[in-house]
Amino acid sequence: MSAVHPHTFRRILGFVVLFGLAMALRLYRLAELPPGNWYDEAIYGLDALRVLREPGWPLFFTTEGHPREPMFLYLAAWVYSLAGPGTTALRVTSVLIGLATLAAAWVWAREVGGERRAWIVAWILALLPWHIHFSRLGFRVILTPLFGTLVM
């Protein structure tokens, strides 16, 4: 068995530190901060419950007369199936999407500008206040930076 190359070890350690910090910032007191459920979060939660409880695979959701696309709702339903329904589980969906965005941004930046730029982009995104904020709310808008990064 060969030893791990020092550069590979540093990269792995860097990922562990980066994602650990990003995860900690997004999960810290997730159930209490921000307090309560936003109106939109409550609707998304109801729609995720609908996915779990009703047959079929709807493409559009119109709870309370507000049409929405299904991707975030299906992801939230999946998290609900693992953790049980609730505000925290809905927000964990956004945390997972935010962390996926971080990984996608690192890969994209490495391809475009090299390893150093990838680390800079990843650290900025991990600490960016608006990204942390929206990664802690059960809003579907957190999918926008993920798909924007994936498209690039």
Side-chain angles (χ1 to χ4, degrees):
M1 184 168 178
S2 64
V4 176
H5 190 276
H7 183 68
T8 304
F9 177 75
R10 283 194 306 264
R11 181 184 291 161
I12 291 170
L13 182 61
F15 277 126
V16 169
V17 170
L18 174 68
F19 280 90
L21 178 62
M23 190 180 305
L25 290 171
R26 285 156 176 80
L27 288 174
Y28 175 72
R29 295 182 59 195
L30 188 63
E32 299 95 33
L33 297 173
N37 252 346
W38 292 71
Y39 175 75
D40 290 343
E41 282 182 302
I43 289 175
Y44 299 157
L46 290 173
D47 287 338
L49 283 174
R50 177 179 165 204
V51 169
L52 290 178
R53 295 181 178 162
E54 294 179 11
W57 296 89
L59 289 179
F60 299 101
F61 293 81
T62 58
T63 305
E64 296 292 317
H66 301 281
R68 286 165 310 287
E69 67 284 345
M71 178 168 266
F72 183 81
L73 306 172
Y74 282 114
L75 293 171
W78 175 71
V79 173
Y80 276 11
S81 71
L82 298 174
T87 302
T88 303
L90 184 66
R91 291 178 177 175
V92 164
T93 305
S94 293
V95 169
L96 295 173
I97 294 167
L99 293 173
T101 303
L102 184 62
W106 187 89
V107 170
W108 169 74
R110 188 189 64 194
E111 292 298 316
V112 170
E115 182 97 8
R116 178 179 157 87
R117 185 165 294 164
W119 285 109
I120 292 168
V121 167
W123 276 102
I124 289 171
L125 189 59
L127 300 173
L128 200 61
W130 72 262
H131 196 264
I132 294 169
H133 176 72
F134 284 105
S135 293
R136 294 178 53 85
L137 294 173
F139 290 167
R140 70 186 195 269
V141 72
I142 195 60
L143 288 167
T144 303
L146 174 61
F147 281 101
T149 303
L150 293 173
V151 165
M152 290 201 284

